[in-house]
Amino acid sequence: MARGKLRIYLGSAPGVGKTYAMLSEAHRRIERGADCVVGFAEHHHRPRTEVMLHGLEQVPQKELDYRGGTFTEMDVDAILARAPRVVLVDELAHSNVPGSRNAKRWQDVEALLAAGIDVITTVNIQHLESLGDVVESITGVRQRETVPDEVVRRADQIELVDMSPQALRRRMAHGNIYKPDKVDAALSNYFRPGNLTALRELALLWVADRVDAYLTEYRSEHRVSTIWGSRERIVVGLTGGPEGRTLIRRAARLAEKGAGGEVLAVYISRSDGLTSASPKELAHQRILVEDLGGTFHQVVGDDIPVALLDFARGVNATQIVLGVSRRRSWQYILGPGVGATVARDSGPDLDVHLITHGEAGKGRGLPIARGARLGRTRLIGGWLTGVLGPVLLTLLLTVATPDVGLANDMLLFLALTVAAALLGGLLPALSSAAVGSLLLNWYFTPPVHTLTIADSQNIVAIVIFVGVALSVASVVDLAARRTHQAARLRAESEILSYLAGSVLRGETSLEALLERVRETFGMESVALLERTGETDPWTCAGSVGPRPASNPDDADVDVPVHDDMALSLRGRVLPAADRRVLAAFAAQAAVVLDRQRLRREADRAKELAEGNRIRTALLAAVSHDLRTPLAGIKAAVSSLRSDDVEWSEDDQAELLQAIEEGADRLDLLVGNLLDMSRLQTGTVTPILRETDLDEVVPMALVGVPEDSVELDIPETLPMVQVDRGLLERAVANVVENAVKYSPPEQKVLVSASAIADRVEVRVVDRGPGVPDEAKDRIFEPFQRYGDSPRGAGVGLGLAVARGFTEAIGGVLHAEDTPGGGLTMVLAVRIADERLPDRPDLPAVTTS
């Protein structure tokens, strides 16, 4: 029996319309005469979804008893007995009630597919097993119901049901997804714009990767070698030279011109390991291409044009970006170059861009890799040329061309000696000269086949040959050594230039600099040690890598900066030549450490300056804002004590009320001033203990009118780790601020919910709101937003609230209220990091 086909409607979040789309597809199939039934469909009491079930045959569900309750699940056996052509199964990631045929619904679907029944199902992106950690980091909700990625990837069709976060939130606000009493909590928790945007991006990227896999699989099965430009993929060929940055930026601009453009930078290294690329430059180019949204690749290939084209066709690229050759004009006699070869062999389906740059025509220069040495392949080649080369040349001259003359014979042997020197250095060249002189004497100098030389002129010729061979070999070897020294010095100069630039820019942190040392010299760990005096123990100012040295005597390499500071490295013993650059790193590390300490002192000085500013503002507040309630109190008291006027009982009561209100206002202002002073001086010492929010939040509402606040604090919330007094003051200030700006007919909503490892208290008002650019400014001391009157306070309420919240390890920030207004979100940690058994909302994230 043929396996059934699986079609999946994939959504980014609950409510995007997956079930509706699935039911619409069922109606279309029934209209075409297909035998289609509903195995399971969850409408969540959504009217439009319920309407779509009309006219569809539904297989009765199975009832199961579990822990004293009755639950309904999809009846797989009934569907198999009914044997329809197509069955609808909603919520693929659902976990079945114990006692069901299978533990998971996707296993039920596998049974239906094995029976030859086509299945149409739905699933949200957050239920894919591989994305569980990512979704939890975004939403704070751990998905307990998951489905293996492979089950979804095996689907014959995957259709993305997409909706913008704004449209989904509007659908939520209209009550089309959850019941009205759950809307505000859902909008402020799981259905935040940031959460929805991140989930939508996950869904789009996952489907795009799946489409890419489908395309690659199809091209492989049908042996399609031509490139299909489904989207712009631009391959950048890098040589490790400085022009690479220009090429990467040019490719990024090309990719931006087309939707979904992708940049892939590739560096092709030879299989023998010989390269003229700068590792430092390649590292910079890797960072640049990744910052621009591309990827970096390194492949091995001896034929660079072929390897580059193979890579481009393998990734289905549409364009290749190369730099104009750095070779000089005379070097073109050796061949057309990589750019011309790639352009010639690319074919009509792959565009090649040759980009001009400042390094064009200047030559490739010397290798700049640190510690460059002749590789094993070159040494073997040098010895073979120096030892076997003269033997083969002798065989050729004696058999094929026996009469070319002694002078020409010597020149040919001399050429071999030079080649041996170029490949393997001095020793292979000396061997070539010795073997060549003996063979010249034996085979080509009369009398032949003896070591005797009859003609004195031939003796001179042999001596000259040996001398010239030794001289040429020495010069070539010296040039190679100078080349290596130049490469080393150039690498050192680049490192020193990097250090000097970092000093001027002030960019490098101590850890980043030590990591740079570890990477440059290939060490296991690097530590900067210091001590206060010669007899004091060493302390670690900064380190990277495992098992850093705690004492300079324990390190493999120790570079003293001064008597009380040293750079200690573990891993291997470095040659003396490396210590010059290492000393520069050590000096720079000391400078960075001093700069960090100076920066901390500057921050402390800034705090002192801020404290002076606060004190100045306090004086201004005392001189103006505190004087207003005092003036009102004094006027009321003077009026009561006046003998000229006889006050009625109502007038006296009104004056006494004015005195009481002025005293309360004065008490609030003085309290906020004292609290801000404590925060600025760092004398707030919280006492953290496990606390129930429903014991603290109601106490914070004492200072506001009873009918101005609506409280929603579930009793099932986990306990939080806070200072009760500080939390109460913070909530009180936030609520008082919300009541002040909220319209009289609108109550302020104070709700709480558990999300991941924290509990959030949300204070929602329907006032004028605050623009995004002012949301952080309203938490600064002595700040009032908008046209708040001078008598409304000194602008310390929110500043004190944030200070107290941060003192107990929490966070306070402002968000827009959907439909208008401002929402203050106060988040505090759950006690002992104990997570709630189930999130308040939305614990059910399927639709």
Side-chain angles (χ1 to χ4, degrees):
M1 179 182 296
R3 180 180 172 87
K5 295 186 179 299
L6 176 62
R7 178 171 183 170
I8 296 178
Y9 286 95
L10 178 67
S12 59
V16 295
K18 302 179 301 301
T19 304
Y20 190 93
M22 179 184 69
L23 296 175
S24 299
E25 176 64 19
H27 282 286
R28 285 192 293 270
R29 296 203 179 198
I30 290 176
E31 291 173 0
R32 297 196 297 265
D35 181 15
C36 183
V37 301
V38 177
F40 182 87
E42 181 60 74
H43 52 71
H44 293 289
H45 303 290
R46 297 167 188 167
R48 296 185 179 181
T49 306
E50 286 184 286
V51 170
M52 293 298 295
L53 284 169
H54 295 167
L56 299 178
E57 178 186 348
Q58 301 185 49
V59 177
Q61 299 180 14
K62 179 190 296 185
E63 293 187 353
L64 297 171
D65 295 329
Y66 180 66
R67 292 187 177 179
T70 301
F71 301 87
T72 58
E73 292 289 358
M74 182 176 68
D75 194 340
V76 180
D77 296 325
I79 297 174
L80 292 174
R82 169 67 173 76
R85 184 71 189 88
V86 182
V87 62
L88 309 184
V89 180
D90 205 3
E91 297 184 354
L92 182 63
H94 172 74
S95 297
N96 294 329
V97 174
S100 302
R101 174 170 174 160
N102 296 300
K104 294 286 188 177
R105 185 163 292 162
W106 64 265
Q107 295 171 328
D108 295 338
V109 169
E110 288 292 315
L112 296 174
L113 293 172
I117 301 174
D118 294 345
V119 178
I120 303 177
T121 185
T122 65
V123 71
N124 282 327
I125 191 67
Q126 63 264 33
H127 293 295
L128 294 185
E129 199 168 72
S130 65
L131 300 178
D133 294 339
V134 178
V135 172
E136 183 180 12
S137 66
I138 294 172
T139 65
V141 178
R142 181 66 179 183
Q143 300 297 331
R144 295 178 175 83
E145 296 183 336
T146 60
V147 58
D149 289 47
E150 187 58 30
V151 173
V152 182
R153 290 184 182 277
R154 286 201 307 262
D156 299 277
Q157 296 183 58
I158 299 176
E159 183 171 334
L160 179 65
V161 183
D162 189 29
M163 177 176 287
S164 69
Q166 294 77 14
L168 184 57
R169 283 172 62 84
R170 283 196 299 270
R171 178 181 288 184
M172 171 71 72
H174 294 158
N176 294 332
I177 299 178
Y178 290 123
K179 294 181 180 180
D181 59 337
K182 297 293 186 181
V183 169
D184 285 338
L187 286 173
S188 60
N189 293 331
Y190 192 88
F191 286 81
R192 298 177 183 177
N195 290 359
L196 297 178
T197 302
L199 292 173
R200 187 189 189 197
E201 183 180 15
L202 275 179
L204 291 171
L205 290 174
W206 195 91
V207 173
D209 288 342
R210 185 60 186 145
V211 172
D212 225 11
Y214 275 135
L215 180 59
T216 303
E217 182 180 350
Y218 180 87
R219 293 178 69 234
S220 175
E221 290 177 353
H222 293 77
R223 294 183 173 86
V224 178
S225 58
T226 58
I227 292 174
W228 288 0
S230 54
R231 60 171 170 168
E232 292 293 341
R233 277 194 178 90
I234 303 173
V235 171
V236 185
L238 301 178
T239 64
E243 76 280 359
R245 305 188 194 191
T246 302
L247 304 183
I248 292 171
R249 294 189 180 96
R250 185 72 177 95
R253 291 196 295 271
L254 289 173
E256 290 174 356
K257 295 180 180 179
E262 184 179 359
V263 176
L264 300 93
V266 57
Y267 171 72
I268 299 173
S269 58
R270 298 186 181 275
S271 59
D272 60 3
L274 299 178
T275 176
S276 61
S278 165
K280 176 173 172 287
E281 183 62 32
L282 280 177
H284 282 304
Q285 292 173 16
R286 178 194 292 269
I287 294 172
L288 176 61
V289 72
E290 290 174 352
D291 288 344
L292 294 175
T295 56
F296 183 90
H297 307 267
Q298 184 166 342
V299 299
V300 177
D302 292 323
D303 191 330
I304 293 179
V306 172
L308 184 60
L309 288 171
D310 288 344
F311 176 83
R313 293 193 174 98
V315 298
N316 200 29
T318 57
Q319 302 179 55
I320 295 180
V321 173
L322 299 173
V324 173
S325 178
R326 287 186 287 159
R327 297 195 301 175
R328 301 186 188 277
S329 301
W330 63 267
Q331 292 177 307
Y332 282 97
I333 63 176
L334 303 176
V338 174
T341 304
V342 171
R344 182 192 64 201
D345 299 338
S346 61
D349 52 356
L350 189 58
D351 297 334
V352 179
H353 301 267
L354 291 179
I355 308 300
T356 59
H357 51 84
E359 302 296 320
K362 293 184 178 180
R364 289 189 174 273
L366 297 173
I368 57 177
R370 174 189 168 272
R373 295 290 186 270
L374 295 177
R376 176 177 296 181
T377 303
R378 289 189 61 182
L379 288 174
I380 294 174
W383 280 105
L384 290 176
T385 303
V387 177
L388 295 182
V391 176
L392 296 176
L393 180 58
T394 301
L395 182 63
L396 177 65
L397 292 177
T398 55
V399 177
T401 55
D403 298 322
V404 297
L406 181 61
N408 291 328
D409 294 336
M410 289 185 176
L411 289 177
L412 291 174
F413 277 96
L414 182 61
L416 277 179
T417 302
V418 173
L422 289 174
L423 286 175
L426 182 60
L427 292 180
L430 294 177
S431 301
S432 177
V435 175
S437 61
L438 290 175
L439 292 174
L440 278 172
N441 187 6
W442 184 270
Y443 287 100
F444 304 104
T445 305
V448 296
H449 301 138
T450 66
L451 295 179
T452 304
I453 301 176
D455 191 346
S456 59
Q457 294 182 353
N458 292 337
I459 297 177
V460 175
I462 292 294
V463 172
I464 293 175
F465 164 76
V466 175
V468 170
L470 294 177
S471 301
V472 170
S474 299
V475 170
V476 171
D477 181 72
L478 181 61
R481 292 178 182 274
R482 292 291 184 264
T483 300
H484 296 156
Q485 291 175 2
R488 181 184 184 84
L489 292 174
R490 183 172 178 180
E492 290 182 359
S493 66
E494 285 189 355
I495 294 174
L496 295 175
S497 175
Y498 165 79
L499 290 176
S502 66
V503 173
L504 295 176
R505 294 187 301 269
E507 295 175 350
T508 305
S509 65
L510 181 60
E511 288 72 19
L513 182 64
L514 296 180
E515 182 64 30
R516 174 77 178 178
V517 175
R518 192 170 73 91
E519 291 178 355
T520 301
F521 297 98
M523 304 301 287
E524 179 184 354
S525 64
V526 180
L528 182 64
L529 306 177
E530 63 175 349
R531 61 184 179 182
T532 55
E534 292 184 0
T535 59
D536 295 323
W538 291 91
T539 59
C540 182
S543 65
V544 294
R547 301 187 308 108
S550 58
N551 191 296
D553 297 334
D554 300 333
D556 295 318
V557 180
D558 171 32
V559 179
V561 180
H562 48 71
D563 292 340
D564 299 324
M565 183 176 291
L567 187 67
S568 300
L569 297 82
R570 269 185 172 175
R572 61 189 177 92
V573 178
L574 294 177
D578 287 335
R579 288 186 171 268
R580 181 170 60 248
V581 176
L582 195 55
F585 271 113
Q588 172 66 3
V591 171
V592 170
L593 181 61
D594 290 341
R595 186 188 298 121
Q596 288 182 351
R597 290 171 175 171
L598 289 174
R599 187 179 295 114
R600 286 195 292 267
E601 292 180 4
D603 292 339
R604 286 196 292 268
K606 185 178 179 181
E607 292 176 0
L608 293 175
E610 180 67 16
N612 289 332
R613 188 186 72 82
I614 294 295
R615 281 191 287 273
T616 303
L618 283 172
L619 292 175
V622 170
S623 64
H624 186 282
D625 296 278
L626 296 183
R627 188 174 295 174
T628 301
L630 284 174
I633 294 172
K634 181 174 176 57
V637 172
S638 299
S639 299
L640 287 174
R641 296 188 61 182
S642 175
D643 298 332
D644 300 336
V645 181
E646 182 146 341
W647 304 99
S648 64
E649 292 184 1
D650 292 339
D651 292 337
Q652 291 180 6
E654 185 176 351
L655 290 172
L656 289 173
Q657 183 180 359
I659 294 173
E660 185 178 9
E661 290 177 353
D664 290 340
R665 200 161 139 209
L666 187 61
D667 180 67
L668 177 63
L669 291 175
V670 172
N672 279 336
L673 289 171
L674 292 176
D675 289 338
M676 180 53 61
S677 176
R678 292 168 58 204
L679 288 171
Q680 292 296 327
T681 56
T683 57
V684 176
T685 304
I687 301 175
L688 303 180
R689 59 187 61 178
E690 294 187 1
T691 305
D692 280 323
L693 276 182
D694 55 1
E695 297 177 0
V696 178
V697 176
M699 299 297 296
L701 308 182
V702 175
V704 297
E706 294 183 1
D707 58 347
S708 62
V709 177
E710 178 183 349
L711 192 60
D712 180 17
I713 307 294
E715 295 181 357
T716 58
L717 286 177
M719 300 184 75
V720 293
Q721 192 83 7
V722 296
D723 183 300
R724 294 188 57 170
L726 297 182
L727 179 61
E728 181 181 330
R729 287 299 305 274
V731 174
N733 283 6
V734 172
V735 172
E736 289 172 3
N737 184 79
V739 171
K740 182 190 305 180
Y741 288 98
S742 189
E745 67 279 2
Q746 293 281 351
K747 289 186 178 182
V748 172
L749 173 63
V750 180
S751 63
S753 58
I755 300 177
D757 60 346
R758 66 189 185 279
V759 172
E760 290 187 350
V761 178
R762 308 182 72 85
V763 181
V764 183
D765 69 60
R766 298 290 178 177
V770 176
D772 292 339
E773 62 272 11
K775 282 187 172 63
D776 283 333
R777 197 165 61 247
I778 61 176
F779 292 101
E780 296 178 3
F782 305 102
Q783 296 290 328
R784 300 187 191 88
Y785 177 71
D787 55 355
S788 177
R790 290 291 297 176
V794 294
L796 286 176
L798 293 181
V800 171
R802 172 172 276 188
F804 282 171
T805 303
E806 292 176 350
I808 61 177
V811 178
L812 176 62
H813 66 276
E815 296 178 355
D816 290 327
T817 301
L822 190 68
T823 298
M824 292 289 182
V825 183
L826 192 156
V828 292
R829 295 190 305 270
I830 291 176
D832 298 333
E833 300 183 355
R834 290 180 299 182
L835 299 180
D837 293 335
R838 50 184 301 179
D840 291 328
L841 216 163
V844 179
T845 54
T846 54
S847 64

